[in-house]
Amino acid sequence: MVDAHQTFVIVGAGLAGAKAAETLRAEGFTGRVILIGDERDHPYERPPLSKGYLLGKDDRDSVFVHEPAWYASADIELHLGQPVVHLDRVARTVTLGDGTALTYDKLLLTTGAEPRRLRIPGTDLAGVHHLRRLAHAERLRGVLTSLGRDNGHLVIAGAGWIGLEVAAAAREYGAEVTIVEPEPTPLYAALGPELGGVFADLHREHGVRFHFGAKLTEIVGQDGMVLAARTDDGEEHPAHDVLAAIGAAPRTALAEAAGLTLAARADGGGIAVDAALRTSDPDVYAAGDCASAQHPTLGLRLRVEHWANALNGGPAAARSMLGQEVSYDRVPYFFSDQYDLGMEFSGHVAPGSYDEVVCRGDVGKREFIAFWLGRGAEGARVQAAMNVNVWDVTDTLQQLIRSARTVDPDRLADPSVPLESFLE
């Protein structure tokens, strides 16, 4: 039984933190719940920032996890616009930026991630952007509107998911777009070389220019404004604005200063947690983008930055804090929408960790399912799958990944063979 006089503190007021607070109340916890965020906005979801909200199709209120009045009605104490600057695990206190010290019985860290920065000259110019927070999206939406109206140029550093989604939005506004990417294809780390070309072709058809095998070395400006972006192969690209979309780093400074164990960089960094989302301190938990969890099904340590991990990880951590038996074994999942292409990805593959990619459907029409296979002594198994403009298959694909059953690659590639048959 959890004592009604206990205080549970959640540091990080994003989706994971907000859903954890909601779950504590839904599970009957009657103690004090304190949710702390360094942004002034109420907790919100991040996918719309590079999708519907950035495109102007979703209004601002639609991004929030709960109505603002919900927190008071659920007796959740909110401290917004307040960073936590110190964690004392011996005294069980967190100290806010204004000097307020709060005592906890259980602590959940959902501190998220922050965009990686370009370390080159010119990043202090007014036209250099990142996309992580609601304020970034608001600013970028205005920028894309202006670029589209004036036939302006946007240079994007990085052809990952954020870079491609912003490129798609920018083209819908009418802006000229150039993407600079050091790898030979978009999404090279996420999908490997086999499928990256699908997304390169999609964006080229919509007028995006790619510059592969290069990195930005300088952003050239005058009077504080961006004029061009230079790359390490001597090229110069005209630009009125530049977006740095080169990935995100887990926010672990608070945990590290407090002496909590961190995951190795090879595992994606982050705060190391077990399958119950407990850190090296039994009274401190972590979930969402900042946590590197031992995955009981996949058999590896994994840090996942995507929306579904925050949506499901926050509640799992809350139940673990309440003393329930938790084994967080969700199959990683994310989705993307670009122009008329919608996709969902389930599972996990790292570069070099798979043996073959098999597709069923029509790749040319962008209506297909791709399977990443690993081969062992007993045969091939599905490690990950991506459905592109093919819907209502995610549950089956995730069951197939979770089952670790051997599959015949030729039958897997045959659309006439029902997917469900691989689970029989």
Side-chain angles (χ1 to χ4, degrees):
M1 293 292 292
V2 176
D3 193 306
H5 299 293
Q6 285 191 315
T7 297
F8 285 8
V9 172
I10 303 169
V11 178
L15 177 59
K19 297 302 286 187
E22 176 188 323
T23 302
L24 290 175
R25 290 300 187 224
E27 293 290 330
F29 179 62
T30 58
R32 191 179 178 193
V33 178
I34 303 173
L35 180 59
I36 306 167
D38 60 3
E39 296 182 64
R40 295 191 179 279
D41 291 304
H42 283 75
Y44 57 85
E45 302 192 38
R46 297 191 190 277
L49 306 190
S50 59
K51 298 180 176 72
Y53 180 69
L54 185 63
L55 282 163
K57 297 176 180 179
D58 298 337
D59 62 31
R60 193 176 189 276
D61 289 344
S62 69
V63 308
F64 294 106
V65 182
H66 303 104
E67 294 283 341
W70 176 86
Y71 296 93
S73 68
D75 196 22
I76 309 295
E77 298 178 38
L78 273 179
H79 291 262
L80 298 178
Q82 281 289 351
V84 173
V85 296
H86 183 66
L87 163 58
D88 187 331
R89 295 193 292 120
V90 175
R92 293 188 181 186
T93 61
V94 293
T95 303
L96 307 186
D98 64 2
T100 301
L102 300 169
T103 302
Y104 66 84
D105 293 286
K106 298 286 185 181
L107 174 68
L108 173 60
L109 300 176
T110 54
T111 48
E114 58 189 359
R116 297 186 188 277
R117 307 285 174 170
L118 291 168
R119 307 296 181 185
I120 60 175
T123 54
D124 57 340
L125 295 169
V128 178
H129 310 274
H130 300 86
L131 181 55
R132 180 71 188 179
R133 300 190 169 202
L134 182 53
H136 295 156
E138 289 173 341
R139 181 186 179 199
L140 192 57
R141 190 159 77 164
V143 166
L144 296 185
T145 300
S146 297
L147 290 176
R149 183 183 61 240
D150 301 331
N151 197 33
H153 286 73
L154 174 69
V155 169
I156 300 174
W161 295 112
I162 294 296
L164 294 185
E165 289 179 0
V166 173
R171 290 300 296 144
E172 291 203 31
Y173 278 100
E176 298 295 320
V177 178
T178 299
I179 300 178
V180 177
E181 166 59 50
E183 300 293 356
T185 69
L187 306 167
Y188 190 84
L191 304 182
E194 297 88 351
L195 273 300
V198 172
F199 289 86
D201 291 343
L202 170 71
H203 281 269
R204 286 191 180 110
E205 288 172 14
H206 285 84
V208 173
R209 292 179 290 275
F210 285 100
H211 189 169
F212 292 118
K215 295 181 180 180
L216 291 189
T217 56
E218 183 182 4
I219 301 170
V220 182
Q222 184 176 355
D223 299 326
M225 304 303 292
V226 171
L227 296 178
R230 292 173 178 162
T231 53
D232 57 2
D233 56 0
E235 295 289 324
E236 182 171 291
H237 303 276
H240 298 98
D241 290 270
V242 173
L243 173 72
I246 56 174
R251 300 180 68 191
T252 60
L254 185 68
E256 184 175 12
L260 294 171
T261 300
L262 302 184
R265 285 191 177 184
D267 295 322
I271 304 167
V273 296
D274 62 14
L277 303 181
R278 292 177 297 235
T279 71
S280 53
D281 183 322
D283 293 321
V284 182
Y285 301 73
D289 294 359
C290 69
S292 176
Q294 187 63 41
H295 198 288
T297 301
L298 300 180
L300 48 79
R301 181 167 290 285
L302 195 60
R303 189 177 71 83
V304 179
E305 295 178 355
H306 301 296
W307 165 85
N309 186 48
L311 179 72
N312 299 308
R319 295 186 180 99
S320 192
M321 295 167 76
L322 292 170
Q324 299 179 20
E325 186 173 339
V326 169
S327 181
Y328 187 61
D329 63 350
R330 291 270 182 168
V331 174
Y333 166 88
F334 64 91
F335 68 97
S336 182
D337 298 305
Q338 300 167 34
Y339 312 108
D340 58 353
L341 183 150
M343 59 74 66
E344 298 173 291
F345 186 98
S346 299
H348 173 73
V349 286
S353 68
Y354 59 94
D355 297 301
E356 182 181 3
V357 178
V358 171
C359 295
R360 71 156 53 195
D362 194 324
V363 176
K365 291 183 178 179
R366 302 188 190 106
E367 295 178 0
F368 66 95
I369 304 173
F371 301 87
W372 283 258
L373 306 181
R375 291 187 177 272
E378 297 179 355
R381 291 182 170 86
V382 178
Q383 296 175 294
M386 177 177 68
N387 48 300
V388 176
N389 289 337
V390 176
W391 306 110
D392 301 321
V393 295
T394 295
D395 288 346
T396 303
L397 295 176
Q398 293 205 356
Q399 289 177 46
L400 185 56
I401 294 166
R402 188 181 294 278
S403 73
R405 295 190 181 193
T406 57
V407 296
D408 179 340
D410 291 334
R411 293 185 71 242
L412 198 63
D414 186 350
S416 69
V417 179
L419 282 175
E420 290 76 12
S421 68
F422 295 97
L423 297 171
E424 296 173 351

